[in-house]
Amino acid sequence: MVVPYEGQSYSALRRQCQQSGHLFQDPLFPATDQSLFYQNNRVGRVTWKRPKELSGDPHLFVDGISAHDLHQGRLGNCWFVAACSSLASRESLWQKVIPDWKDQEWDSDKPESYAGIFHFRFWRFGEWVDVVIDDRLPTANGDLIYCHSNDSNEFWSALVEKAYAKMCGCYEALDGGNTADALVDFTGGVSEPMSLMESGVKDDEEKRAELFERVLKVHNRGGLISCSIQATSSAEMEARLASGLVKGHAYAVTDVRRVRLGHGLLAYFRSDKLTMIRMRNPWGQREWNGPWSDSSEEWQKVSKSERERIGVTVRDDGEFWMTFDDFVSNFTDLILCRLINTSYLSLHKTWEETVIHGSWCRHDDPLRNRAGGCTNNHHTFLQNPQYVFDVKKPEDEALICLQQRDRRASLKGGRGQNLPIGFDIHRVELNRMYRMHVKQQKVGGSVYINSRSVFLRIDLKEGRYVIIPTTFEPGLEGDFLLRIFTDVPSDCRELTLDEPPQTCWSGICGYPSLVTQVHVLAASGLAGHDSDGASDPYVIIRCEGHKVRSAVHKRTCSPHFDTKGLFYRKKSKQPISIEIYNHNVVKDSFLGQVTLPDEHGEFQQTLHLRDKGGRRDNDLPGTITVAVVTSTTLTNI
């Protein structure tokens, strides 16, 4: 589904202009300084001109679309231009951003059809937004001030930049930003920022090889990639190093591949291949001058046909190759924007996606407050929104992205700073249905940063988990988008109730007066019933007609269950039973059980397994370790 930005319909506006014979003038983004700057003009005299006033033969594309079409201009938006460079290399992606481009192109045979109006699409906060602009572009001394192409007749890059500036409030809103955000806006994918300094890949050959495989996979599956060298001070921003690289500057990764060494037929029988990566400087110049730079002698090790195959050129166009080892040694930050495949018709891995819109909002009532801040705020942290999901495989990789609504368009009013956001993941009881009121086992979480989005890739064991998205400080309000990708459906949903609701039957059937959490930790010395003496045990916890069953543990007599259940009890004197079974294809066999009498407080105890009649004999060896927490206040767990 595509939503028109600010309700402007491209087709309706274009039709009106064609019928009236007037070129479109956008009232929402006028050709004035308010569309350029927050407050004061920082460029000088600006003249707005249409492409036909700048060229006798204007086109969206000249000889197709290419990363070489882009030059940054007089705006600090290398992050945006680098993302455009990556976009230009993916036809399936840029055709989403530049829809029906053939129809938008200048048609010399039908000049009357031209209406001075264009539209472009960006993925924003869970939906594709269609942004309409007129074709008036800011110039100084007859030249485009901002992003422009090598060819003076080509205007796609300048028009895409204008549409993005309109959506963000003005051109100055693009002065400084995050490439990861632009990559997501162009694709609807998920960006994973990585620090090459903190990940240990610089000193670990095995980690470097694993990272290359990951980067290669993202590239081969249509994802977009960017990189940069961190600047530690404002003085270092865009400082050129001896290697030719620039600090604090975003580069687009335009190719990733293994390059075959050698010449002639012999090269095809050799196993020598270099892992290499190609990048482009959005300035269109200033390249890497080290090994494997454009004119370096290393290229003599590669055949002419191989050089032509991978597109090696010797010109100062801002694009260059490096070995992956040199890349890791020189760059500090990497952004992988994955296109998450959710199609069941694909040959590649298919992800199950859950998309949830939520908000942090203040309220005086603690049970209704949803702006509790991060885990440092002990008394309010669990007042944040909570979302429960299940991992249904023995182990599954999950991709989790938390995004806040973009505030760039509010910068004019001084409200455009992003909130520091993040999230924690807690492993909870297998049957949890109500909100947490006590912290449980934290198994992961994101960093907290004032970025538009935060991302985590994590391996989780089978079980139930709760994600708690938060702002760093309590009391801050804002909207967010939570996206969760798993291999099988996770059944993710928000926990809204604090306790079981009272109904008209509560007076007759009774209302829970006691909350009990049973945590079965492990068992040992179980009798082996299989041919090799081992078992495939699992545990069932029963309480007042409800039960929780663990996963099956394969071929062991000492399983580590780590299984928790939460029970809202009406009969406090009714015992809780814990039963252990051996899984079998034909019929599961009973291994033993323990019963827990009513207890108040908290205890951890090792209990002997018994048969269903309560007896313990030589046929039922084994013990089980159980932790129980009971509470008379429902909202305590």
Side-chain angles (χ1 to χ4, degrees):
M1 180 178 177
V2 179
V3 179
Y5 181 73
E6 297 292 349
Q8 288 182 306
S9 168
Y10 167 74
S11 58
L13 291 170
R14 185 189 188 194
R15 187 166 53 251
Q16 290 173 11
C17 291
Q18 290 172 335
Q19 292 172 350
S20 66
H22 294 98
L23 295 180
F24 179 58
Q25 295 187 21
D26 187 3
L28 301 185
F29 203 63
T32 63
D33 281 2
Q34 77 177 63
S35 298
L36 297 174
F37 315 106
Y38 295 135
Q39 294 176 334
N40 301 319
N41 186 325
R42 299 183 182 181
V43 174
R45 183 176 180 181
V46 175
T47 304
W48 295 77
K49 292 187 176 183
R50 298 184 187 267
K52 282 197 172 183
E53 298 176 85
L54 296 169
S55 167
D57 186 27
H59 294 277
L60 268 180
F61 306 122
V62 175
D63 297 328
I65 184 173
S66 165
H68 299 284
D69 296 342
L70 294 130
H71 288 274
Q72 186 175 331
R74 295 162 62 180
L75 189 65
N77 66 338
C78 62
W79 59 278
F80 171 78
V81 180
C84 285
S85 294
S86 297
L87 177 71
S89 64
R90 303 291 190 187
E91 182 176 355
S92 61
L93 296 181
W94 67 252
Q95 287 191 2
K96 283 186 177 180
V97 175
I98 311 174
D100 45 77
W101 63 272
K102 290 183 179 179
D103 186 55
Q104 295 199 71
E105 184 64 89
W106 280 264
D107 188 345
S108 57
D109 296 331
K110 298 180 181 178
E112 71 281 357
S113 67
Y114 185 72
I117 183 172
F118 290 86
H119 70 129
F120 304 93
R121 291 174 180 168
F122 308 104
W123 190 91
R124 301 287 277 186
F125 212 62
E127 60 189 9
W128 285 92
V129 178
D130 193 80
V131 181
V132 172
I133 58 168
D134 62 39
D135 65 350
R136 294 176 294 178
L137 299 170
T139 69
N141 301 318
D143 297 321
L144 291 173
I145 297 175
Y146 301 127
C147 189
H148 56 279
S149 175
N150 270 333
D151 195 309
S152 60
N153 296 335
E154 187 174 61
F155 290 94
W156 75 268
S157 58
L159 293 169
V160 168
E161 182 186 49
K162 179 175 181 178
Y164 200 79
K166 175 182 177 178
M167 187 175 62
C168 293
C170 66
Y171 276 90
E172 193 178 348
L174 308 187
D175 194 4
N178 192 329
T179 307
D181 294 341
L183 294 176
V184 171
D185 292 341
F186 290 160
T187 64
V190 174
S191 282
E192 177 183 7
M194 299 178 61
S195 171
L196 299 178
M197 299 177 67
E198 297 176 3
S199 60
V201 296
K202 292 182 183 292
D203 304 315
D204 190 319
E205 184 176 352
E206 186 176 340
K207 286 186 177 181
R208 283 199 303 276
E210 291 176 359
L211 178 60
F212 178 81
E213 292 299 330
R214 193 186 310 169
V215 174
L216 181 65
K217 183 182 292 185
V218 171
H219 176 75
N220 287 344
R221 294 188 179 178
L224 304 183
I225 306 170
S226 178
C227 57
S228 61
I229 303 172
Q230 185 178 10
T232 57
S233 66
S234 57
E236 287 188 351
M237 289 296 293
E238 300 194 339
R240 187 175 184 182
L241 303 174
S243 63
L245 301 175
V246 181
K247 275 193 168 186
H249 190 60
Y251 289 78
V253 173
T254 56
D255 203 354
V256 183
R257 58 173 77 215
R258 288 185 172 88
V259 177
R260 191 185 304 274
L261 299 178
H263 297 265
L265 290 175
L266 184 62
Y268 289 93
F269 297 99
R270 296 179 59 181
S271 60
D272 295 346
K273 288 185 179 180
L274 277 180
T275 54
M276 300 195 71
I277 186 168
R278 187 177 69 191
M279 283 151 287
R280 185 175 188 276
N281 184 339
W283 290 345
Q285 57 182 346
R286 297 193 183 179
E287 302 179 4
W288 160 254
N289 56 31
W292 300 94
S293 54
D294 283 359
S295 56
S296 70
E297 60 183 16
E298 282 84 5
W299 286 110
Q300 299 305 314
K301 301 176 184 179
V302 178
S303 67
K304 181 180 178 181
S305 61
E306 182 78 351
R307 292 199 300 271
E308 291 175 349
R309 184 177 71 88
I310 65 175
V312 176
T313 59
V314 182
R315 62 175 182 263
D316 188 19
D317 55 3
E319 194 167 53
F320 55 89
W321 286 91
M322 300 174 72
T323 66
F324 195 72
D325 286 352
D326 280 339
F327 167 76
V328 169
S329 297
N330 285 273
F331 284 85
T332 62
D333 295 278
L334 176 67
I335 298 171
L336 303 177
C337 182
R338 288 180 171 86
L339 302 186
I340 306 298
N341 178 31
T342 57
S343 171
Y344 292 110
L345 303 177
S346 173
L347 296 176
H348 298 304
K349 177 179 173 63
T350 297
W351 295 85
E352 296 287 343
E353 179 183 22
T354 300
V355 179
I356 296 175
H357 289 267
S359 61
W360 296 292
C361 50
R362 294 191 301 265
H363 199 282
D364 293 336
D365 182 354
L367 292 181
R368 298 173 66 185
N369 183 50
R370 293 296 178 264
C374 72
T375 189
N376 296 342
N377 305 281
H378 304 294
H379 299 295
T380 59
F381 169 66
L382 291 173
Q383 295 173 9
N384 286 292
Q386 299 179 13
Y387 301 90
V388 65
F389 71 100
D390 294 320
V391 173
K392 301 175 183 177
K393 297 170 61 179
E395 189 170 52
D396 194 7
E397 180 184 38
L399 309 180
I400 302 170
C401 181
L402 174 66
Q403 182 181 117
Q404 60 183 310
R405 188 177 293 280
D406 189 49
R407 295 174 171 236
R408 203 174 273 271
S410 304
L411 282 167
K412 286 186 177 181
R415 303 185 305 276
Q417 296 303 317
N418 287 324
L419 302 173
I421 62 172
F423 58 85
D424 283 354
I425 306 173
H426 290 249
R427 189 174 187 184
V428 298
E429 306 87 357
L430 290 175
N431 61 339
R432 172 161 292 273
M433 299 172 59
Y434 305 106
R435 288 176 54 84
M436 290 168 49
H437 296 87
V438 172
K439 294 179 187 177
Q440 299 211 35
Q441 178 189 2
K442 180 179 175 180
V443 295
S446 72
V447 297
Y448 277 81
I449 188 171
N450 60 342
S451 173
R452 200 180 77 183
S453 63
V454 291
F455 173 85
L456 179 68
R457 178 168 43 84
I458 187 172
D459 292 323
L460 295 172
K461 294 181 179 179
E462 186 174 359
R464 180 161 289 185
Y465 298 85
V466 168
I467 298 178
I468 305 178
T470 82
T471 59
F472 187 76
E473 297 291 342
L476 300 178
E477 295 187 305
D479 297 328
F480 63 81
L481 178 71
L482 182 64
R483 305 170 74 191
I484 302 172
F485 301 89
T486 50
D487 192 39
V488 296
S490 65
D491 301 331
C492 184
R493 59 201 181 278
E494 184 176 6
L495 295 176
T496 57
L497 298 178
D498 290 286
E499 58 189 34
Q502 294 201 34
T503 67
C504 58
W505 300 103
S506 296
I508 301 173
C509 302
Y511 186 76
S513 59
L514 183 68
V515 185
T516 302
Q517 182 193 76
V518 181
H519 186 187
V520 181
L521 299 169
S524 60
L526 300 180
H529 287 257
D530 297 339
S531 58
D532 60 359
S535 299
D536 296 333
Y538 62 91
V539 65
I540 295 178
I541 310 171
R542 299 183 189 273
C543 178
E544 295 189 9
H546 299 282
K547 69 178 182 179
V548 169
R549 173 175 167 165
S550 76
V552 175
H553 293 250
K554 297 290 186 180
R555 317 202 75 74
T556 178
C557 289
S558 298
H560 180 69
F561 288 120
D562 194 20
T563 299
K564 291 190 289 187
L566 185 66
F567 301 97
Y568 292 83
R569 302 171 63 189
K570 301 173 184 177
K571 303 174 183 177
S572 60
K573 295 184 179 181
Q574 186 79 15
I576 298 173
S577 70
I578 301 172
E579 303 168 353
I580 297 183
Y581 290 84
N582 180 32
H583 181 62
N584 192 286
V585 176
V586 179
K587 182 180 180 181
D588 293 351
S589 56
F590 178 75
L591 293 182
Q593 73 174 7
V594 297
T595 58
L596 302 174
D598 176 39
E599 293 285 349
H600 294 281
E602 179 177 346
F603 73 90
Q604 180 170 318
Q605 187 171 342
T606 299
L607 302 169
H608 294 290
L609 294 175
R610 301 179 183 275
D611 65 13
K612 291 184 178 179
R615 300 181 302 274
R616 179 176 185 243
D617 55 41
N618 293 332
D619 292 329
L620 291 169
T623 59
I624 184 169
T625 304
V626 181
V628 179
V629 180
T630 63
S631 174
T632 55
T633 306
L634 287 176
T635 55
N636 271 2
I637 294 182

